[in-house]
Amino acid sequence: MNIHLTIIIPVYCVSDTLERCLNSVTGQQCDGLEIILIDDGSPDCCPQICDEWAQRDRRITVIHKQNGGLSSARNAGLDIARGNYITFVDPDDYIADNTMQSLADILREHPEYDILEYPVSVLQKSGKQSAITFEKEVFTEMSEYWMRGRSYQHNYVWNKIFRRHLFDGIRFPEGLVFEDVYIMPQILKHAHVVATTDKGMYCYCFNKHGITSTAGPDEYGMLLDAHLQVIDMFRDHPLFYTYYMHVLNIQITMYDISGYEPRLERIRITEFSGLNFMMKVKAVLLNLFGIKGLCIIFKILNRARRLR
């Protein structure tokens, strides 16, 4: 079985990191590789860099379009992708050597996999590195992947390979941020088998201009809304409280930076297994003071911390 893989790379004002990204992608020794660069109306020299790379490597296709944001750029790539499988790489990141070949070998051995998720090396703002690692595991129930696999904590499209048909009728929401969190539950509705592996490595690099670094009240509101759209689907799952506490952390952050009324429904935590120490503290305070009371407490604590 030949694995034909499309890599979609949105490009906008990343002239300082684009060469590193493209070196890592074009250096992958993987048969049947298609690379789509979407110049999202970048005003710097990125359009020229894209065209120069396309002249050097026949696997590269370049789209030049008006600026429409990350979702719009990825959607433009999806519209012309020809691979049996699709993955995404952000231009300020890169992938380790032999990653795509290792993953293609797994997909060749397991044609039943609809999604394959692989490890991430995270270069933090401080310069320290951490990692998101996975055991070799196969999920045939998407609720188990979401809850037991805690995929809601790593809802990224860039460290996953997807069977292309999963995007039939599905596109990234334009005009929103944290778009991966919106689209992943939709994709999982069409998936039958998701696997995780310890092979390969996606290298995520801190970007001071990225949404994680610059998000304000509106952006965190979008992140919260994405989870609120699906959280009720998992109320009967044994690990629901763990997921609820994850969403509660987002609500606390949003209240801290905005003061907007909490939108997450209050529930009473009656099961503390699976919660770490800080989660247990928050759960107790939630039971005592409710969501708004908990948010106020942490807003005061955060303000005191910042004044030190």
Side-chain angles (χ1 to χ4, degrees):
M1 175 186 176
N2 290 323
I3 303 298
H4 296 288
L5 173 65
T6 297
I7 300 179
I8 296 174
I9 306 175
V11 176
Y12 184 78
C13 291
V14 285
S15 57
D16 55 340
T17 60
L18 184 56
E19 295 274 357
R20 179 185 65 188
C21 174
L22 294 178
N23 272 313
S24 77
V25 171
T26 58
Q28 299 296 313
Q29 300 302 313
C30 181
D31 294 335
L33 196 63
E34 176 187 46
I35 303 166
I36 301 177
L37 306 181
I38 304 95
D39 160 35
D40 191 35
S42 187
D44 58 4
C45 62
C46 283
Q48 290 77 24
I49 294 174
C50 291
D51 289 338
E52 289 169 4
W53 274 87
Q55 291 177 357
R56 278 188 253 166
D57 195 320
R58 60 184 178 80
R59 298 172 298 174
I60 296 177
T61 298
V62 179
I63 298 174
H64 296 289
K65 60 182 288 296
Q66 286 188 325
N67 179 251
L70 177 58
S71 288
S72 175
R74 285 175 173 171
N75 289 341
L78 286 171
D79 288 343
I80 68 166
R82 296 176 296 173
N84 302 41
Y85 294 87
I86 289 176
T87 191
F88 303 86
V89 176
D90 283 352
D92 38 13
D93 304 331
Y94 61 98
I95 47 180
D97 292 346
N98 300 317
T99 289
M100 290 299 125
Q101 186 60 60
S102 298
L103 300 176
D105 289 342
I106 294 172
L107 291 170
R108 190 173 292 110
E109 294 171 10
H110 297 278
E112 72 275 15
Y113 290 174
D114 293 313
I115 301 173
L116 180 61
E117 182 171 29
Y118 63 101
V120 181
S121 172
V122 180
L123 179 61
Q124 300 171 348
K125 181 179 180 179
S126 64
K128 293 183 178 179
Q129 283 192 309
S130 60
I132 303 172
T133 59
F134 301 98
E135 301 291 333
K136 295 180 181 179
E137 194 161 4
V138 177
F139 299 89
T140 56
E141 293 290 336
M142 298 305 102
S143 61
E144 288 301 298
Y145 173 61
W146 188 265
M147 299 296 281
R148 185 167 58 81
R150 299 194 179 189
S151 67
Y152 55 82
Q153 293 181 340
H154 38 91
N155 245 325
Y156 320 116
V157 296
W158 35 250
N159 72 319
K160 300 171 181 68
I161 293 181
F162 302 87
R163 197 182 298 278
R164 188 179 68 176
H165 77 75
L166 295 177
F167 288 91
D168 290 349
I170 295 176
R171 289 295 184 267
F172 290 90
E174 299 187 20
L176 299 177
V177 296
F178 294 109
E179 49 281 302
D180 295 6
V181 185
Y182 280 90
I183 202 172
M184 277 303 298
Q186 298 179 51
I187 293 173
L188 291 176
K189 289 179 181 178
H190 298 276
H192 298 287
V193 182
V194 177
T196 57
T197 180
D198 58 358
K199 304 296 183 184
M201 185 66 70
Y202 185 97
C203 302
Y204 171 86
C205 302
F206 172 80
N207 178 1
K208 65 181 180 180
H209 302 297
I211 187 60
T212 303
S213 306
T214 60
D218 291 340
E219 289 76 19
Y220 270 100
M222 294 177 192
L223 176 60
L224 179 62
D225 285 343
H227 284 287
L228 293 181
Q229 289 180 14
V230 298
I231 191 170
D232 284 342
M233 297 167 52
F234 304 101
R235 281 185 179 269
D236 296 329
H237 195 280
L239 297 175
F240 174 72
Y241 289 141
T242 306
Y243 178 36
Y244 179 87
M245 295 305 294
H246 174 80
V247 181
L248 180 62
N249 280 336
I250 300 170
Q251 176 65 84
I252 291 171
T253 299
M254 183 182 170
Y255 185 88
D256 182 39
I257 63 178
S258 71
Y260 296 163
E261 285 295 310
R263 299 206 294 269
L264 177 63
E265 178 187 348
R266 177 189 180 179
I267 67 169
R268 186 170 186 82
I269 307 298
T270 59
E271 176 57 58
F272 289 80
S273 61
L275 303 182
N276 61 32
F277 175 76
M278 183 52 67
M279 282 184 174
K280 289 177 180 177
V281 170
K282 290 178 180 177
V284 170
L285 294 174
L286 172 68
N287 289 344
L288 290 173
F289 302 108
I291 288 183
K292 186 169 183 178
L294 175 63
C295 287
I296 291 172
I297 290 171
F298 274 86
K299 187 178 182 73
I300 293 171
L301 290 175
N302 289 335
R303 184 179 299 170
R305 190 182 303 118
R306 288 191 288 264
L307 290 175
R308 286 178 183 173

